[in-house]
Every structure is written in C-alpha cells, then in structure tokens.
Amino acid sequence: MAYKILVAEDDIGLNQGIRLALQREEFIFDMAYTLKETREKWRKENPDMVILDVNFPDGNGFDFLCMLRQSSDIPVIVVTANDMETDEVTGLTLGADDYITKPFSLMALRIRVENIWKRTRNNKIQIYEEAGYMFDFGHLDFKVNGQEISLSAPEQKLLKLFITHPGQTLPRDILVENIWTCSMEYVDENALSVTISRLRKKLEIKGKSSPVSTVYGIGYAWKHQGD
C-alpha cells in the first residue's frame, strides 16, 4: 500500500527538492506551499506523514501541528530556519515526531523519514473492529453495534490511546498529558473524569460491561470483551 507524504514548505525549490530526495516506490507525495493549502490537503488527502515547515506567509506551522494533534497521531517532522532550542522544544511538546533545522542535508531528512516509516507502517492502527465496535481513525468514522457515534477530539485521542495499549493501565497524569498537549494552561484533572464518563456512555452496549475499566488509585485500562 502506498504511503502518502504531505510536504508543506513555502519555498518551491526546497519543496520539490524534498520530494525528489525522498522518492521511492512506496511513497506518493502531496505538495503544499501555504498554511491554508496545508490544512486543505490534510483534510482531503488523508496523508500518512507530514513534513512541516514552521514559517509560512499566511501563518505558523505550529498552529497547524496543534490543530492536527487534536484528532490525529500521524508522524510529523518539523522543518524550520529557526535554530533555537525553544522552537525545538515547542515542536516536540506539541507532538512533532522529529525536528530538523535549515540548512540541512536532504539525505539526513531521507533517513529520518524512512526510519519513521519503517517504525510505524506495521503497527499503525487505523481501523479497529471487535465485539460490536468499529473505529476508523483514518476517516473519523466510529460505530457501536452498527450505529454511528460522534466523538469529540479529546474522546478520539483517549480512545486511540486505549486501543493501542490493550490491557495496560494508563495513569491519569499520562492520559492528561497526551490528550491536552496543546493546552498552554493548567488542565483541571476533573476534565479527564468527564471525558472518560462521556466516552463510556457512547460506547455502551446493552448487556456488556464497559471496555474502559477503572483501576482505582492509578488510572484506566481498555479490557477486551473476552478478557
């Protein structure tokens, strides 16, 4: 299956250079030269990875990264001319998988991209189906017993964390850090309890216990229906 990479870089020459340097049989590319175009192509084309510049004529790439991380965990490599530690920390804090500063070697970028591709291609969960549940994270389609349900961005992120760590107890503080990564203010821990409660209600199947189990004093865990 082809692996789609969105190259979001306003410098036309560098954008094309990145595409040429990364070319391989498994990769296909979408190109974006403005922040507006980046948002549009992300929504329409559903890429598997984004190579993201920070400085666009019409906005800041970190704003796009923050928006993307509200509903998606696809790999993002941030590219910037700002050789400052604060920018690197900001990018990684907002959920970037890697960070590279201009000027950079296209071969070094190729190695980073291929490492992430190899690491994620076999364990990326886009569709989950089990015991009355069907969750398609690629198309944001969520169904319980065949009935479509609507999930908020925090609920989607919480659900993805659970099903990618089945049976594992996830501490409350870890869940808060991963769900509200873009919040610059203190997040009341009660927000997690409310989100858990709403998600449980939406996942209810009559006659079955909730797959979201409370581990008292620690956090929560996703339990398979057969467990």
Side-chain angles (χ1 to χ4, degrees):
M1 181 180 294
Y3 190 84
K4 185 178 294 186
I5 299 175
L6 173 59
V7 183
E9 163 64 55
D10 68 320
D11 184 309
I12 297 176
L14 180 56
N15 195 314
Q16 296 295 330
I18 290 173
R19 179 182 62 82
L20 291 173
L22 298 181
Q23 277 188 336
R24 60 180 296 157
E25 184 179 352
E26 297 86 352
F27 295 167
I28 59 176
F29 298 89
D30 276 314
M31 326 303 286
Y33 302 95
T34 66
L35 195 59
K36 179 181 179 182
E37 193 175 11
T38 300
R39 292 192 184 100
E40 291 173 349
K41 293 208 169 185
W42 172 68
R43 292 191 181 102
K44 293 179 181 178
E45 304 298 333
N46 193 30
D48 298 295
M49 178 188 290
V50 180
I51 297 173
L52 178 67
D53 190 16
V54 171
N55 299 310
F56 289 93
D58 59 337
N60 189 296
F62 286 146
D63 293 334
F64 170 78
L65 176 59
C66 187
M67 179 198 73
L68 184 150
R69 281 292 178 254
Q70 295 302 306
S71 60
S72 174
D73 61 356
I74 64 170
V76 176
I77 297 178
V78 168
V79 178
T80 180
N82 299 327
D83 187 12
M84 296 177 59
E85 184 178 1
T86 53
D87 288 325
E88 180 177 359
V89 170
T90 298
L92 297 176
T93 299
L94 293 179
D97 296 83
D98 207 342
Y99 188 100
I100 191 165
T101 303
K102 300 175 185 178
F104 56 86
S105 161
L106 289 173
M107 183 56 67
L109 177 61
R110 180 186 177 95
I111 292 171
R112 290 170 189 246
V113 168
E114 291 187 347
N115 284 343
I116 292 176
W117 169 63
K118 291 173 183 177
R119 188 172 69 243
T120 61
R121 62 178 173 170
N122 293 324
N123 61 8
K124 183 177 66 173
I125 293 181
Q126 288 294 342
I127 298 179
Y128 175 94
E129 292 185 85
E130 184 182 10
Y133 297 113
M134 195 293 293
F135 309 135
D136 183 342
F137 289 90
H139 296 89
L140 302 183
D141 182 20
F142 308 99
K143 294 179 180 177
V144 176
N145 269 354
Q147 298 297 312
E148 188 171 345
I149 61 172
S150 177
L151 298 179
S152 66
E155 290 165 354
Q156 291 173 29
K157 295 177 75 173
L158 184 59
L159 180 60
K160 187 71 173 288
L161 282 169
F162 281 138
I163 67 171
T164 52
H165 299 83
Q168 180 180 339
T169 300
L170 301 176
R172 292 180 62 90
D173 59 340
I174 297 300
L175 291 173
V176 169
E177 289 176 7
N178 280 273
I179 295 169
W180 287 280
T181 53
C182 292
S183 177
M184 297 303 177
E185 300 179 357
Y186 172 76
V187 176
D188 189 337
E189 194 169 316
N190 184 56
L192 177 63
S193 298
V194 171
T195 305
I196 290 280
S197 177
R198 289 175 177 168
L199 180 61
R200 277 178 168 156
K201 187 172 183 60
K202 293 177 181 181
L203 298 179
E204 283 181 356
I205 295 179
K206 188 174 182 180
K208 293 186 178 181
S209 59
S210 171
V212 180
S213 299
T214 300
V215 182
Y216 291 99
I218 303 177
Y220 303 91
W222 179 269
K223 301 292 186 180
H224 289 282
Q225 294 295 305
D227 290 352

